[in-house]
Amino acid sequence: MKFIILLLFSMNSFSSEIITYIQKKRNKNINIRTDIYLKIKKFGKEDISKSFKVTFEKKEKVQKLLVEVTSPIDLSGIKNLIIRNEDGSFHNWLRLKNGSIKRMKPRLKCKSLYGSEFSCEDIYFALFKKPQFLKSESKKEHIVGELSFVGSLKKYRSNFRIDNYWPDNIQLLTPFGKTFKNFQFSDYIKIGNQWVVQKISVENIRNGKVSTLMLKNTKLNSQLDDNFFDPETF
């Protein structure tokens, strides 16, 4: 029924509704805890496998991200804490295996995150920035269009699902409009009223490398200790 009703809206209404929905999700106070497994393949052969425990929290305009490496064994226990304050400033801390904590300069423009095809900028805009649609078109169960993120000059071609307003596919475009990276989103599950993606893959068209993030044991709005994101004790 919802699908039939949505089909009655115009193309502009689709765009407006998607933007409103996404912005509400971005503005919503939430915390997410999940185990993430990263697999990297090059020309069909698996090269690297890593795993992490990840906790993300958003309260009003403050966002916090804690990533703990759980494998490989030589990196296990290393933690990275990133906090975005209300004024938009970022702070970054690294906790080493020996327990020492170092304050780091936020790396928002690294080309590779943990050796994968996901860049720091990919994760940064996905977590902290709002999308803005440049143009869109309705096609059966999807909205196809181009978008960018506030503060970025990069453009993406998107393919959003009408049933939950989350993407099936997003392509990072070159300045000439050709696909540079192809992001695939799949295995959605619903936890309470929130849709959560369980698998995200990105293919670098230029080098043939594919990186996949698989989310497991995802929990929403867990009770966190007051000092969970404390830079001195995390």
Side-chain angles (χ1 to χ4, degrees), residues 169-186:
N169 174 269
I170 294 180
Q171 299 171 2
L172 172 59
L173 305 177
T174 68
F176 303 101
K178 294 184 178 180
T179 301
F180 169 44
K181 287 184 181 180
N182 188 18
F183 297 84
Q184 298 284 346
F185 302 78
S186 60

Side-chain angles (χ1 to χ4, degrees), residues 157-211:
R157 184 179 294 118
S158 63
N159 195 341
F160 278 83
R161 294 167 48 160
I162 290 177
D163 58 352
N164 64 13
Y165 297 123
W166 290 103
D168 276 340
N169 174 269
I170 294 180
Q171 299 171 2
L172 172 59
L173 305 177
T174 68
F176 303 101
K178 294 184 178 180
T179 301
F180 169 44
K181 287 184 181 180
N182 188 18
F183 297 84
Q184 298 284 346
F185 302 78
S186 60
D187 299 351
Y188 283 95
I189 61 172
K190 198 169 187 179
I191 303 177
N193 296 322
Q194 181 78 42
W195 285 98
V196 178
V197 67
Q198 296 289 283
K199 185 177 180 180
I200 306 172
S201 296
V202 55
E203 178 184 8
N204 187 318
I205 305 302
R206 294 175 179 174
N207 63 20
K209 187 183 289 187
V210 178
S211 301

